[in-house]
Amino acid sequence: FFLTAMGRLGLLVTETYASQFAAELSAVTTQLTAAGVTLDLILFPDHHPEAWQATLPPERLSQVTCGYVSEEVQHNRAAMRGIFQALHACPNLEWLQYSWIGMDFEAFV
């Protein structure tokens, strides 16, 4: 995995995803730690997406190296717009993964 060479992985996920998959994220954190990599979970406020700029200042966004856009945001237009705006503001973003296929959303046209 190419990001492990950095020793740190800044992962932007929604608060909903982090809550729903807390056990899995904990297991991944343990595995990465054993490999010498620190996982820094950076949470997007999908319940209040309009507040993302207040909760994710530029200093925090600069720590994001990868993002995961989970399925629940595709049913919440404000959250989807917000997370893509936040990801666009991440100067060190190297990888973005979506949980669904088909990129015909308004943000891309």
Side-chain angles (χ1 to χ4, degrees), residues 37-58:
V37 178
T38 300
L39 177 62
D40 181 12
L41 283 179
I42 301 160
L43 303 180
F44 177 81
D46 56 310
H47 298 292
H48 302 286
E50 67 287 346
W52 75 266
Q53 290 172 320
T55 59
L56 294 171

Side-chain angles (χ1 to χ4, degrees), residues 13-20 43-52 55 70 72-73 76 78-80 82-83:
V13 297
T14 64
E15 291 174 343
T16 297
Y17 183 85
S19 175
Q20 288 177 343
L43 303 180
F44 177 81
D46 56 310
H47 298 292
H48 302 286
E50 67 287 346
W52 75 266
T55 59
S70 43
E72 78 277 355
V73 298
N76 180 337
M80 183 169 42
I83 198 165

Side-chain angles (χ1 to χ4, degrees), residues 8 42 57-65 89-93:
R8 193 190 145 284
I42 301 160
E59 305 81 42
R60 191 68 171 133
L61 292 174
S62 72
Q63 297 169 342
V64 174
T65 57
C90 296
N92 298 310
L93 183 67

Side-chain angles (χ1 to χ4, degrees), residues 90-106:
C90 296
N92 298 310
L93 183 67
E94 295 184 29
W95 185 265
L96 178 57
Q97 184 70 45
Y98 304 91
S99 68
W100 68 91
I101 58 172
M103 294 294 114
D104 60 343
F105 298 111
E106 182 179 333

Side-chain angles (χ1 to χ4, degrees), residues 1-9 32 35-37 94:
F1 190 62
F2 73 94
L3 292 171
T4 59
M6 296 184 334
R8 193 190 145 284
L9 197 99
L32 287 172
V37 178
E94 295 184 29

